[in-house]
Amino acid sequence: MPRSLWRFAAFYFWYYAALGAYTPYVGRWVDALGHGGFVIGAMLGLWYGTRIVAPPAWAALAGRSARPGEWFVAGCVVTALCFAGFLVTREAWALLGVMAVFGLFYNAVMPQFEAMTLTALGPSPELYGRLRVWGSVGFLAVASSYGALMDRFGADSFPWLTLPLFVAMAVSAWPHRHDRPPEIAGPAIAEAGHLFKRPGVRRFLLVAMLMQLGFGPFYVFYTLHLQAAGHSGAAIGALWAIGVLIEIAMFWQAPRLIARFGAGRLLSVCLGVTVLRWALVAAFADLFWVMALAQTTHALSFATFHACCMRLITDYFPGRRAVAGQSLLYGFSSGVGGVLGAGLAALMWERVGAGPAAFAAGAVVALVAWGIHAMRRPTPAATPA
């Protein structure tokens, strides 16, 4: 890989290293502060909600600037400053306020950076995977180790342990202050409303949304569920590491599987395996070897499912329509599905039966998604845009 691209690998590493601390362990920290499942669910719900609003708003602001790279650096610095607000917040209303502002900036900068990365790669887009994998390495390094660190220093140490990662992210953004995203001429996002009516699109988006909804208990309460089942922080970190490692490996193999079996058929397998995964997590959380086995299914329920969705996007939204298609998928899956999933997880955790009930609900949602997908019609052949 050319030396000039290592600065991109560095930013991916630190951005996802910070995410590797936040996603698995923010719930454990909020729980240690004495707050219940509804506050934890609201924290993650705001996280997903800002993913809907932040990227287009930030793109509009940065796009009007003659120096968009400086906007990018500023966004990363403000992200670190906002996260520092968690050092002095304990009340629920304050936590949610800081979360809302922090999420807006943290979720805004990555789409801009992705565009700058593709511009830098130019005629060599195949190098993207070699850069992006450093993000997975960063997530893996932190997610696998922070459980043990919080065991040693206490759950209250979470913001102090994590803030340096955001500072490092801001520092790694500085070399990109002169970078620019590409000038893209394509369809307006408004075209997505028309594409929403195309045959099969609504079913596909509904399945993607339900899959993300079913992941709600995993992203919000997985660490707490394992902790309640008696696992140590080191064991929990190891389980997160298994999922990330298998995800990395499967992303390399998914194109071959899709070419052999077809995205639609493979998606059915992913959904079926996900039902089994959440059922195992609900029923056997105290058995480490069962949880390790369940984490290996992340290869299908996340990595392969995501790859299948990307392939189906090119069928439903060929050519220049892919931009509008991606906006629909992102909004329905990561946005709506993420918010609803966090809400479902919090409701089941607080009102029904904590971890087992939350993950059982996730299994039911995945089962519904599998049934909806099973009733699909053949994917339309791609046509030139």
Side-chain angles (χ1 to χ4, degrees):
M1 185 170 63
R3 291 181 60 185
S4 61
L5 295 179
W6 278 107
R7 60 193 177 99
F8 290 89
F11 184 81
Y12 277 120
F13 179 92
W14 290 113
Y15 181 94
Y16 284 102
L19 190 64
Y22 179 81
T23 302
Y25 300 111
V26 68
R28 179 177 173 182
W29 172 59
V30 176
D31 177 72
L33 293 178
H35 300 294
F38 285 125
V39 175
I40 298 171
M43 290 280 286
L44 271 296
L46 280 171
W47 165 257
Y48 286 108
T50 55
R51 293 181 74 174
I52 304 173
V53 178
W58 187 259
L61 290 171
R64 296 173 184 171
S65 173
R67 299 176 178 177
E70 293 181 1
W71 276 80
F72 170 71
V73 174
C76 294
V77 171
V78 174
T79 297
L81 291 175
C82 289
F83 186 85
F86 286 128
L87 297 175
V88 294
T89 52
R90 292 294 182 269
E91 298 297 325
W93 65 269
L95 289 172
L96 296 177
V98 173
M99 179 64 239
V101 181
F102 161 71
L104 280 172
F105 286 97
Y106 191 30
N107 281 316
V109 296
M110 180 49 72
Q112 182 185 0
F113 183 72
E114 294 270 45
M116 294 190 302
T117 300
L118 293 175
T119 300
L121 291 177
S124 304
E126 68 278 2
L127 293 177
Y128 173 81
R130 298 184 185 180
L131 295 177
R132 177 59 182 81
V133 73
W134 284 99
S136 297
V137 171
F139 188 101
L140 173 65
V142 173
S144 62
S145 61
Y146 264 45
L149 286 175
M150 291 177 72
D151 279 353
R152 179 174 181 180
F153 297 108
D156 285 347
S157 65
F158 168 77
W160 293 100
L161 290 172
T162 307
L163 181 59
L165 301 177
F166 283 102
V167 173
M169 182 192 79
V171 171
S172 68
W174 178 253
H176 301 277
R177 63 193 180 278
H178 300 306
D179 291 1
R180 301 184 64 88
E183 297 293 335
I184 300 176
I189 297 302
E191 186 180 351
H194 170 69
L195 295 174
F196 182 73
K197 301 176 182 178
R198 299 185 72 190
V201 168
R202 283 170 289 190
R203 185 186 303 274
F204 166 63
L205 293 174
L206 179 59
V207 168
M209 184 197 74
L210 289 172
M211 185 65 149
Q212 183 68 44
L213 197 161
F215 261 83
F218 177 73
Y219 289 131
V220 181
F221 293 116
Y222 184 63
T223 295
L224 287 177
H225 180 52
L226 295 177
Q227 183 176 307
H231 297 290
S232 67
I236 294 170
L239 289 171
W240 277 98
I242 290 171
V244 178
L245 284 170
I246 203 73
E247 169 191 324
I248 295 171
M250 183 53 74
F251 268 129
W252 287 99
Q253 297 299 321
R256 298 179 184 177
L257 293 174
I258 292 173
R260 180 173 180 180
F261 298 106
R265 186 181 302 173
L266 201 55
L267 206 66
S268 292
V269 176
C270 295
L271 290 164
V273 168
T274 303
V275 175
L276 176 62
R277 177 185 186 180
W278 300 145
L280 290 174
V281 175
F284 302 104
D286 58 322
L287 300 178
F288 181 85
W289 70 271
V290 176
M291 292 301 92
L293 178 63
Q295 278 296 86
T296 65
T297 66
H298 200 66
L300 290 169
S301 59
F302 179 80
T304 306
F305 182 87
H306 178 74
C308 289
C309 286
M310 294 301 101
R311 178 64 182 88
L312 289 171
I313 279 288
T314 65
D315 290 338
Y316 287 116
F317 308 100
R320 67 184 184 89
R321 297 188 179 95
V323 175
Q326 286 283 4
S327 72
L328 279 174
L329 179 62
Y330 191 84
F332 271 84
S333 178
S334 295
V336 177
V339 172
L340 293 178
L344 172 68
L347 181 64
M348 301 302 291
W349 185 273
E350 283 290 323
R351 297 300 188 204
V352 181
F359 283 95
V364 171
V365 172
L367 182 63
V368 172
W370 179 85
I372 293 172
H373 180 67
M375 295 185 291
R376 75 193 186 284
R377 295 178 181 178
T379 304
T383 56

